Amino acid sequence: MNRTPRLENRREHLIQTAAQLFNDLGYERTSVRQLAEAVGILSGSVFHHFDSKEDILLAVMTTTIETMTTRLQAASKASNDVSERLLALIRTELELLHGDTRHGVAVTFFQWHSLGHTNQRHVLAMRASYEKIWLDVLGQAHASQLIHTDPFITRRLLTGANGWTIYWYRPDGRLDLDALAAEVRALLTGPANQNR
């Protein structure tokens, strides 16, 4: 279906607003009427863009993962030095969690179970591409003895650690994202290896 720029912009606005509402209220507690009111349209107009409420959730997750993957790919190519690449990935993920994509990332990380089975598989396959970027760099860090833990387990622990920052990190606190990323890298590599 061809969409005019105006319709495409409205769809994008619906996705962004849905991400915020789903993050703030939870997917199950957010109604289509609330979403429509937040965007300034009638409830029925939402269904000009989406077939169902679940399709809205799926759109939030797929557009978020596409953005996450694009930004992470760029970060992974920022340097040939594995320690710097690791730092770039950490910094990028923290920015995704706290920057312009924060609502979509939180929904994607914590509410994917609200999707039906087929859509869950689709989202998890997309997330696997994102995770592969991490596992490649962590594998290189392990091979070069920058880290000494299993890359797969390290990534799982790092996902939890970075994800949990949404509950305690404040950008106006004593650490900016660069300093926080350096702390996370030091946790993985040890302070002696930071400048390798």
Side-chain angles (χ1 to χ4, degrees), residues 90-159:
I90 295 166
R91 175 62 172 80
T92 299
E93 187 159 272
L94 290 170
E95 177 63 33
L96 289 163
L97 284 158
H98 296 280
D100 63 324
T101 56
R102 67 189 178 281
H103 297 299
V105 173
V107 169
T108 301
F109 275 13
F110 301 115
Q111 299 188 48
W112 62 271
H113 61 277
S114 295
L115 293 169
H117 183 67
T118 300
N119 286 334
Q120 279 187 19
R121 284 184 13 214
H122 177 66
V123 165
L124 292 175
M126 290 183 73
R127 280 178 60 177
S129 297
Y130 177 84
E131 293 300 321
K132 184 177 183 317
I133 300 167
W134 270 106
L135 291 173
D136 287 348
V137 173
L138 288 169
Q140 293 165 13
H142 187 264
S144 67
Q145 298 188 339
L146 181 65
I147 64 171
H148 300 285
T149 52
D150 177 87
F152 180 83
I153 294 171
T154 302
R155 176 56 191 151
R156 291 298 168 268
L157 293 170
L158 189 57
T159 299

Side-chain angles (χ1 to χ4, degrees), residues 31-103:
S31 69
V32 172
R33 178 175 293 185
Q34 287 172 304
L35 174 58
E37 286 175 358
V39 175
I41 61 175
L42 298 173
S43 297
S45 298
V46 171
F47 298 108
H48 289 298
H49 303 278
F50 302 99
D51 292 333
S52 67
K53 183 180 167 188
E54 183 175 328
D55 282 345
I56 300 169
L57 179 61
L58 180 64
V60 167
M61 293 186 179
T62 57
T63 57
T64 298
I65 295 170
E66 286 167 1
T67 299
M68 291 169 65
T69 302
T70 298
R71 293 184 188 178
L72 202 70
Q73 282 172 337
S76 75
K77 297 173 183 170
S79 173
N80 290 325
D81 179 77
V82 69
S83 180
E84 289 303 310
R85 291 178 74 201
L86 183 58
L87 180 64
L89 293 190
I90 295 166
R91 175 62 172 80
T92 299
E93 187 159 272
L94 290 170
E95 177 63 33
L96 289 163
L97 284 158
H98 296 280
D100 63 324
T101 56
R102 67 189 178 281
H103 297 299

